């Protein structure tokens, strides 16, 4: 995939909070990996093609490993855990002085680490890109990176050494609301200018809640549009996302960690992506017909490879694999009369097909036809059971969600997609029993770690009642 970028993003939707606000686990890590992106992808045209290909392939392998840690796919990391990247040498010349001088860096990924944040921390440390925790701000690759990040109580069990209520209020006090108001005002001005001058329908940032990064993206987009002879973004929805492409909804997705040159390349190739988008419904209907009327679902994810062109290619691969298998008469005998009450989603390559916690069949595009059909036939009851359990847990979650918002008076309550309804039920029950006082203006995000991003959204692990600080 030409515009490959690591899956590192979650989305958030502001507004009424009577229902969960959807965010994906891994996009919280985009900001953490940004120094690494900038180090291996210089903003210039002079990087050697061979080095660029090696970097993109290593990023793909790293992406698969990080996704496997969140349970979304299997890892493609080499057995020795070693990846190669080309990084520009110090003191490189300007863009007019020829090719960028680079050095080959071997990054060792610890396969024993199960926390994606710990993996990223190790990568940054091995490349000397990890900023000192004492710094308020540091400049990495010419970008000012905020250093405010409260990692939770200082040691041990947070509820024993510092009450959750006290920790939240201490964290909220460190979010510097005056600075946030200034950045938010700047973002609003930039949005209005782009919408008015360029005719863009709307703009949003789906790589977390970092207004400073959003503002940087808007500045970059202004620079890109100033160099465009034509305006391919007129009357389009523009989303800063964890990948570049056309989404299945027809939105223009621009990777928030990419260089402006990558955006320009994509805008020049937009017609090719739009043609593929038109073919997606046809491929989905064809796959449904091949698999006895099974419902084809589109996973609401922001991962690289969910753009229309890559998704269309995956659909074609699965259709071809299943069709060739079902040409054999004995294969048809193994299938039920209909699959119309089940759902299937085609996903990027992984080790094997799975049944999600919602009862959705996840079919990797690389899965052989016989293996996929056999997996579906063996797991029909499992899928049905998970659908029933998911619907029940979702209803209980909604009731507790509203109760939490009412009693704690939260401004916003959100969660990562990795936090399934059964886990969120435990979180909400413990929040209601934790003795937290009402907290008007507090935005709380349930995830897998303690943190306070620069926009003042307080993150707590879903099992905060028994979790301990890791770093």
């Amino acid at each position: 995939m030409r515009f490959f970028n690591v899956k590192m993003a979650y989305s958030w939707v502001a507004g009424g909070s009577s229902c969960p606000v959807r965010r994906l686990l891994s996009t919280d890590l985009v900001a953490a990996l940004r120094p690494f992106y900038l180090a291996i992808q210089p903003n210039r045209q002079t990087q050697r093609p061979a080095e660029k290909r090696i970097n993109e392939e290593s990023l793909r392998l790293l992406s698969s490993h990080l996704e496997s840690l969140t349970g979304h796919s299997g890892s493609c990391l080499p057995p020795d855990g070693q990846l190669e990247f080309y990084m520009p040498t110090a003191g490189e010349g300007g863009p007019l002085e020829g090719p960028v001088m680079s050095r080959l860096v071997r990054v060792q990924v610890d396969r024993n680490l199960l926390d994606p944040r710990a993996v990223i921390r190790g990568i940054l440390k091995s490349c000397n890109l990890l900023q000192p925790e004492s710094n308020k701000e540091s400049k990495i690759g010419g970008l000012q990176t905020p250093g405010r990040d409260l990692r939770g109580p200082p040691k041990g069990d947070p509820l024993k050494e510092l009450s959750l209520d006290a920790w939240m209020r201490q964290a909220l006090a460190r979010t510097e609301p005056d600075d946030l108001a200034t950045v938010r005002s700047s973002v609003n001005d930039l949005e209005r200018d782009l919408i008015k001058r360029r005719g863009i329908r709307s703009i949003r940032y789906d790589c977390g809640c970092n207004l400073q990064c959003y503002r940087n993206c808007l500045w970059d987009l202004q620079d890109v549009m100033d160099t465009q002879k034509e305006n391919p973004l007129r009357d389009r929805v523009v989303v800063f996302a964890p990948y570049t492409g056309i989404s299945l909804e027809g939105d223009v997705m621009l990777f928030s960690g990419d260089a402006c040159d990558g955006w320009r390349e994509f805008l020049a190739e937009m017609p090719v992506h739009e043609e593929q988008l038109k073919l997606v419904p046809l491929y989905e209907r064809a796959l449904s017909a091949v698999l006895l009327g099974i419902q084809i679902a589109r996973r609401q994810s922001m991962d690289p490879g969910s753009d229309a062109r890559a998704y269309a290619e995956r659909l074609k691969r699965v259709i071809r694999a299943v069709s060739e298998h079902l040409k054999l008469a004995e294969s048809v005998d193994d299938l039920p009369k209909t699959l119309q009450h089940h759902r299937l989603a085609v996903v990027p390559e992984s080790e094997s097909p799975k049944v999600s916690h919602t009862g959705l069949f996840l079919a990797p595009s690389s899965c052989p036809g016989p293996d996929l059909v056999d997996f579906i036939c063996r797991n029909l009851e499992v899928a049905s059971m998970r659908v029933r359990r998911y619907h029940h847990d979702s209803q209980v979650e909604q009731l507790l969600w509203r109760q939490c918002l009412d009693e704690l008076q939260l401004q916003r309550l959100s969660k990562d997609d990795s936090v399934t309804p059964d886990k969120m039920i435990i979180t909400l029950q413990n929040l209601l029993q934790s003795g937290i006082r009402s907290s008007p203006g507090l935005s709380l995000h349930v995830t897998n770690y303690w943190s306070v991003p620069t926009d003042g959204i307080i993150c707590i692990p879903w099992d905060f009642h028994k979790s301990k600080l890791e770093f």
Side-chain angles (χ1 to χ4, degrees), residues 166-422:
W167 181 78
M168 284 185 174
R169 296 181 188 282
Q170 179 185 357
L172 188 61
R174 294 183 56 175
T175 57
E176 302 185 21
D178 292 340
D179 290 349
L180 293 180
T182 301
V183 175
R184 187 173 289 110
S185 175
S186 175
V187 164
N188 292 337
D189 291 341
L190 288 166
E191 282 182 336
R192 283 194 296 267
D193 181 69
L194 282 166
I195 290 173
K196 182 178 179 181
R197 289 178 53 225
R198 302 299 178 182
I200 298 174
R201 191 189 310 168
S202 65
I203 310 172
R204 71 175 188 270
Y205 186 78
D206 275 352
C207 284
C209 302
N210 195 317
L211 282 176
Q212 292 175 335
C213 290
Y214 185 22
R215 180 175 61 178
N216 291 339
C217 288
L218 291 170
W219 278 334
D220 289 343
L221 183 58
Q222 276 189 332
D223 292 341
V224 170
M225 295 307 296
D226 287 342
T227 63
Q228 295 289 308
K229 295 181 180 179
E230 299 180 355
N231 184 6
L233 299 182
R234 182 174 298 280
D235 200 32
R236 303 298 293 263
V237 175
V238 175
V239 183
F240 298 110
Y243 69 92
T244 295
I246 299 291
S247 76
L248 297 178
E249 291 74 34
D251 299 339
V252 177
M253 318 297 281
L254 301 176
F255 176 48
S256 59
D258 207 353
C260 294
D261 292 338
W263 293 358
R264 292 188 181 94
E265 285 184 53
F266 165 71
L267 293 177
E269 295 185 358
M270 266 184 58
V272 177
H273 291 256
E274 291 177 320
E275 287 300 319
Q276 291 296 310
L277 177 62
K278 295 176 183 177
L279 296 175
V280 165
L282 301 179
Y283 293 147
E284 289 178 331
R285 287 197 290 270
L287 180 56
S288 176
V290 169
L291 281 174
L292 303 179
I294 198 169
Q295 303 173 49
I296 306 301
R298 298 176 180 178
R299 297 193 77 192
Q300 298 301 311
S301 60
M302 294 291 295
D303 57 302
S306 59
D307 64 290
R309 185 167 67 171
Y311 180 61
E313 289 299 320
R314 292 203 303 268
L315 285 170
K316 287 193 294 184
R317 290 182 64 183
V318 176
I319 292 171
R320 187 181 307 114
V322 174
S323 299
E324 291 177 355
H325 173 59
L326 295 182
K327 289 178 181 178
L328 305 175
E330 59 269 22
S331 303
V332 179
D333 296 337
D334 296 334
L335 288 170
K337 292 182 179 180
T338 180
L339 292 173
Q340 62 181 356
H341 300 300
H342 295 274
R343 299 183 306 140
L344 176 140
V346 176
V347 298
E349 297 182 9
S350 64
E351 294 176 354
S352 60
K354 299 177 182 178
V355 180
S356 74
H357 68 276
T358 66
L360 179 69
F361 286 106
L362 304 180
S365 57
S366 57
C367 184
D371 293 351
L372 178 58
V373 172
D374 177 66
F375 179 82
I376 291 174
C377 292
R378 287 188 291 105
N379 289 277
L380 292 175
E381 183 55 37
V382 172
S384 299
M385 179 187 67
R386 291 188 181 181
V387 168
R388 292 191 295 267
R389 185 175 64 187
Y390 177 75
H391 287 325
H392 173 268
D393 288 348
S394 295
Q395 292 175 355
V396 176
E397 179 190 13
Q398 290 284 344
L399 293 174
L400 290 171
W401 196 288
R402 286 191 289 269
Q403 184 180 351
C404 236
L405 287 169
D406 292 341
E407 292 190 13
L408 304 183
Q409 298 183 11
L410 300 174
Q411 177 176 329
R412 181 184 296 118
L413 178 60
S414 59
K415 70 170 185 174
D416 286 326
D417 265 14
S418 63
V419 181
T420 53
D422 57 325

Side-chain angles (χ1 to χ4, degrees), residues 172 410-414 439-445 455-459:
L172 188 61
L410 300 174
Q411 177 176 329
R412 181 184 296 118
L413 178 60
S414 59
S439 305
L442 176 66
S443 295
L444 186 64
H445 181 64
D455 281 0
I457 295 179
I458 295 177
C459 299

